[in-house]
Amino acid sequence: MLSVVSIGPGSLDLLTERARERISSADVIMGNERYIELIREIIPTGAEVITGRMGTEVERAKKAVELGNRKNVVVVSGGDAGIYGMAGLVIEVIGDFDMDSKLEIIPGITAASASAALLGAPLSNDFAVVSLSDLLVPWSEIEKKLERLAKTDIAVAIYNPKSKNRTVQLEKAYEIFMRFRDAKTIVGIVRNAEREGCEIEITALEDLPDSYHRIDMSTTVVIGCSQTENLGGRMVTRRGYERKYDYDRGEGETGNQEHEKGDYVEAGDRIWEKSKAIVEDIVSKYSGSLSEHERRVVERVVFATADPSFLNLLVFKHLSVEKGIQCIKDGKTIITDIEMVKAGINKRYREKVKCFVNAPKTTEIAEKGNVTRTAAGIRLAKELIHDNIVVIGNSPSACLELFALIEQGIKPAIIVATPVGFVNAAEVKEKILSFGVPCVVVKGVRGGTPSAVAIVNEMIEIAYGRGEDEK
Ligand code: SAH
């Protein structure tokens, strides 16, 4: 019998009964020295103990499989054996071969849950675990995963954060999270959870470097998300109960209570200010090469979409923002591909926005020319396009029509292009960037009405200042 036994984070009272039972009836116990030390007092006197150092896991696994055919062999693994532990390796070593004896994996408490319990409840909602160890996985892959995780608003538990020889990985992870998350995000650090020398710290993401000195290979770092708070010294990620229940008033569902309308307005203001501050913080880390007005446009798009990845997608060419602001000050016409863009544009300027997608002649042009209605709408706007503002929010085929007009010598003053889709969108936007016409473009397959509207509205706001009720 071969048992891969999880021994939990350290303290023996967190061992499961099943794990304890297997250890007590083992003929052979194998594991790395540290784990053997942790369970020393419950190893039966007659058992043979085979220790190995880190880095000798493969030999140990092979030996365990071989011995397991004849004896009760226990391979101990820290935390949960199935989480960066010995279970996977043992199964890989066995491969497709039929083992004579039985193999069992006994689960345990992993470092993330042990650390989370000591911090409070930071993993109450969706979360991910990532290891910074690049001994087996190339760092470039880890970095990509970190970026995706940082962009996703969930808590992240980091294993193997730092060792004597590996220190830059944590610094790089910090930089990535600072780029995509609010600097004030709550972070929990637990060293030696459930072991001697246990240290627990709750801090803010921006202050993480101050704690590097206490982070080592026995440390788990938990980076919270936007729902994570420090409540009375406990790190907790809200699951949404607070939206449904009002704890303070003890009156059950909040929906049952009467609020003054003013409360909502005030709450709305607070949310707006808070979001704005978060966005400004995110964008400020990127805005080195942007002008003040470009930075404002970027902020508006990130604010409208709640998606920091637009930072990397927005491209400004030929002083387009300044040109756009000037055009708006001059009261120039805006031509758009779809009604939705028009509807989103600030009402102070909406009467200057033209969209012909639903004009009576559009259907005829579309049918005769075998083009889409949005393309036909742009063709209908031909006389208006020269030296005015063109905003293509959605349709790659409208861009193709615009190219045809540009070839005829009709030149818009500025193009805002954010068409979306897997077919053609990325290509047409690259082409727009190559024209030499001032343009604001969301590169790649993404974009859409919200980003187009945000770009235009910010230019309107820069030109005319913020309107009374514009938030
Ligand atoms: N199988 C183990 C994880 C092995 S990876 C488990 O499930 O817990 C090793 C990493 O786990 C360490 O670098 C550290 O980040 C984390 N870890 C393991 N034990 C820990 C402990 N007692 N306290 C804090 N972190 C721990």
Side-chain angles (χ1 to χ4, degrees):
M1 166 83 133
L2 174 54
S3 309
V4 183
V5 173
S6 307
I7 62 162
S11 180
L12 288 183
D13 59 358
L14 287 181
L15 212 66
T16 62
E17 259 183 58
R18 199 184 297 173
R20 202 177 262 274
E21 196 281 316
R22 291 306 184 274
I23 292 169
S24 71
S25 54
D27 302 316
V28 180
I29 297 187
M30 302 173 80
N32 92 23
E33 283 158 8
R34 264 177 96 201
Y35 298 142
I36 295 289
E37 265 336 294
L38 286 172
I39 57 159
R40 181 67 75 189
E41 62 188 83
I42 58 164
I43 293 179
T45 34
E48 182 188 353
V49 176
I50 303 177
T51 58
R53 293 176 177 284
M54 290 278 285
T56 59
E57 292 88 352
V58 178
E59 290 96 278
R60 225 185 305 144
K62 282 184 184 158
K63 184 148 192 187
V65 172
E66 190 237 313
L67 284 175
N69 288 329
R70 288 173 275 127
K71 296 178 174 178
N72 281 338
V73 176
V74 163
V75 173
V76 292
S77 194
D80 183 291
I83 299 176
Y84 311 106
M86 288 296 286
L89 180 57
V90 167
I91 292 171
E92 281 181 54
V93 166
I94 296 168
D96 288 336
F97 296 109
D98 247 358
M99 250 179 80
D100 301 340
S101 67
K102 217 180 128 207
L103 167 74
E104 65 171 357
I105 316 286
I106 299 177
I109 295 176
T110 189
S113 47
S115 304
L118 292 168
L119 290 164
L123 308 179
S124 296
N125 214 332
D126 299 341
F127 72 97
V129 176
V130 64
S131 164
L132 298 194
S133 170
D134 54 358
L135 297 176
L136 302 173
V137 180
W139 175 251
S140 57
E141 260 176 46
I142 299 173
E143 207 165 20
K144 264 189 230 141
K145 279 182 209 161
L146 286 170
E147 275 187 18
R148 289 190 198 120
L149 288 173
K151 285 180 199 167
T152 311
D153 191 20
I154 57 172
V156 177
I158 295 180
Y159 282 21
N160 298 301
K162 187 170 153 243
S163 70
K164 281 198 200 89
N165 304 321
R166 285 188 319 104
T167 54
V168 291
Q169 285 78 357
L170 180 61
E171 289 162 23
K172 287 190 180 159
Y174 164 76
E175 281 165 22
I176 291 171
F177 276 90
M178 279 296 281
R179 227 186 294 148
F180 296 107
R181 294 216 180 162
D182 182 2
K184 303 273 183 236
T185 302
I186 309 291
V187 169
I189 300 168
V190 180
R191 182 162 171 234
N192 289 322
E194 302 294 343
R195 287 183 199 161
E196 223 182 289
C198 175
E199 287 175 26
I200 303 158
E201 188 191 348
I202 296 177
T203 182
L205 179 59
E206 61 187 346
D207 298 327
L208 184 58
D210 298 340
S211 304
Y212 282 166
H213 64 280
R214 44 167 84 151
I215 296 176
D216 61 10
M217 281 302 274
S218 298
T219 307
T220 296
V221 178
V222 180
I223 299 181
C225 61
S226 64
Q227 296 304 306
T228 308
E229 289 176 31
N230 180 344
L231 280 185
R234 292 192 190 90
M235 180 177 179
V236 61
T237 299
R238 290 188 185 271
R239 272 197 78 190
Y241 291 114
E242 81 289 356
R243 267 175 259 156
K244 200 160 162 48
Y245 300 99
D246 189 328
Y247 310 129
D248 293 340
R249 302 194 193 182
E251 288 172 21
E253 301 207 8
T254 29
N256 295 340
Q257 285 139 37
E258 300 244 335
H259 285 277
E260 292 291 321
K261 188 161 177 260
D263 289 352
Y264 290 119
V265 175
E266 203 190 308
D269 277 356
R270 273 202 309 274
I271 292 166
W272 190 89
E273 298 294 349
K274 210 171 157 188
S275 318
K276 199 84 182 137
I278 293 171
V279 169
E280 279 172 15
D281 197 58
I282 295 170
V283 175
S284 66
K285 300 196 174 65
Y286 256 85
S287 53
S289 58
L290 298 176
S291 72
E292 166 65 12
H293 289 159
E294 286 167 346
R295 187 184 53 73
R296 281 185 59 174
V297 170
V298 172
E299 276 176 13
R300 182 91 172 219
V301 174
V302 174
F303 185 87
T305 57
D307 184 350
S309 52
F310 276 91
L311 283 164
N312 297 316
L313 302 176
L314 268 164
V315 182
F316 304 95
K317 278 272 171 111
H318 312 293
L319 299 175
S320 48
V321 172
E322 297 313 315
K323 182 82 186 170
I325 296 164
Q326 192 53 52
C327 285
I328 287 162
K329 282 185 178 161
D330 294 344
K332 299 219 160 167
T333 305
I334 296 180
I335 298 98
T336 75
D337 57 339
I338 58 166
E339 290 287 354
M340 213 152 80
V341 172
K342 181 175 173 177
I345 286 178
N346 191 314
K347 57 178 182 290
R348 283 184 293 174
Y349 208 81
R350 208 174 295 148
E351 64 177 34
K352 298 269 183 197
V353 186
K354 306 286 173 220
C355 176
F356 295 107
V357 71
N358 292 325
K361 269 189 134 183
T362 305
T363 314
E364 196 189 317
I365 295 176
E367 276 171 9
K368 269 198 194 146
N370 197 21
V371 291
T372 62
R373 291 176 60 84
T374 48
I378 294 294
R379 197 176 294 178
L380 258 182
K382 181 174 172 180
E383 304 305 325
L384 284 174
I385 282 176
H386 192 73
D387 210 25
N388 277 319
I389 304 166
V390 176
V391 182
I392 310 280
N394 214 274
S395 156
S397 60
C399 287
L400 296 175
E401 191 61 32
L402 181 64
F403 299 161
L405 297 180
I406 291 175
E407 266 166 35
Q408 294 168 33
I410 296 171
K411 221 173 156 197
I414 163 180
I415 304 171
V416 174
T418 67
V420 264
F422 293 108
V423 181
N424 271 341
E427 292 81 355
V428 294
K429 287 185 278 186
E430 285 303 320
K431 190 157 176 190
I432 289 173
L433 287 168
S434 70
F435 274 144
V437 175
C439 57
V440 183
V441 168
V442 172
K443 277 168 78 106
V445 295
R446 301 177 50 194
T449 303
S451 49
V453 164
I455 294 165
V456 177
N457 281 346
E458 191 60 29
M459 293 196 295
I460 294 171
E461 203 166 296
I462 296 169
Y464 294 133
R466 175 168 298 151
E468 287 263 288
D469 54 351
E470 278 158 18
K471 276 196 173 173

